[in-house]
Every structure is written in structure tokens, then in C-alpha cells.
Amino acid sequence: MAGAATLCVAVILTWAVRMGSQVWSTAQITRGKGLYDSHCASCHGKKLQGQPDWKSPLANGRMPAPPHDGSGHSWHHSDEALIGITKFGLKPYVNAAYESDMPAFGATLSDEDIAAVWAYIKSTWPDRQRAYQVQITRQDAD
């Protein structure tokens, strides 16, 4: 009986979520959600909803944190851009003069951590947004 339980747990832990051409394990998505909650939710929202009026500059001229759910624009960007912005901040992707409250997480999160955060975020997107983002990623890689 213990062998069957172990096998069942192993199957559950290795079960993969297939979305578009992307595959993430449930463990990676769960890990990503925990990291998102710890490092991202304070600005981007517990439900990935972003800050209010996220398309309009704040009084200090900086932009509010955008949503990472399907209503935002994260899915308009390639994996390279999403991971790079998370790791290095926005300046390398916008311009050196751009001021943002978005920190660079490269010294805080490993590449695997960042990939897990994005696996979690992407796992919440509707099929249409996920498929579009896969296409953008492929075009960016060519």
C-alpha cells in the first residue's frame, strides 16, 4: 500500500500543465505563486490585477505597476523581455533615463525562481493571451 501511495504522489508531483506549447509542472507553478506572493504581489496585486489606473502616470511621473493577469500587457512581451525585465529592471528594455519603481530581482531571485514566477503568471492567462505570447516569444527568438 505504501508503494502505491508513493507512486500516486510521484505522479501528482510530476503532472504537467500544458498551455500552448509551454509545459510547467504543478510544483513549478506552486513555487512561482509563492515567490510572486512574496516579491511581486505588493505592487502587482494578490490577484495579478496591478495598481489602479495603471496606464496613467503617478504624481511622481512614474507608471503604476501593471496587471499581470489577462487584462494587462505582460502577454504582449516575449519570454526574453519578461525574464530580462524581472532580472535587470526596466531600464535596459525602455531607456536609461526611464524611472520606475520596478526593482531588478537578479540579485534576489535565481533564474529558476524567475522562471517559476512567470510560469505561475502565465498559467493564469486565458488561452488567447497565452498563445499570442508564445508566438511573440518565437518571433523574438528568430
Side-chain angles (χ1 to χ4, degrees), residues 68-118:
H68 285 312
D69 62 13
S71 73
H73 63 80
S74 302
W75 55 274
H76 293 174
H77 303 291
S78 69
D79 284 347
E80 180 185 355
L82 295 173
I83 291 166
I85 290 167
T86 307
K87 188 171 183 169
F88 304 113
L90 280 163
K91 286 187 181 202
Y93 295 88
V94 181
N95 67 56
Y98 187 80
E99 293 296 327
S100 172
D101 292 328
M102 172 71 186
F105 284 99
T108 307
L109 298 174
S110 70
D111 290 350
E112 293 79 18
D113 290 340
I114 293 170
V117 168
W118 281 106

Side-chain angles (χ1 to χ4, degrees), residues 2-81:
T6 302
L7 177 61
C8 185
V9 169
V11 168
I12 291 169
L13 291 177
T14 58
W15 177 73
V17 178
R18 291 191 179 273
M19 297 167 190
S21 66
Q22 300 174 345
V23 179
W24 306 294
S25 69
T26 53
Q28 185 182 28
I29 292 170
T30 300
R31 180 172 170 227
K33 182 181 183 333
L35 290 164
Y36 176 89
D37 288 347
S38 298
H39 298 282
C40 313
S42 62
C43 293
H44 291 281
K46 278 290 210 186
K47 296 181 180 178
L48 300 108
Q49 76 275 14
Q51 293 176 332
D53 200 18
W54 64 274
K55 293 181 182 179
S56 299
L58 299 168
N60 65 6
R62 295 178 181 194
M63 297 301 289
H68 285 312
D69 62 13
S71 73
H73 63 80
S74 302
W75 55 274
H76 293 174
H77 303 291
S78 69
D79 284 347
E80 180 185 355

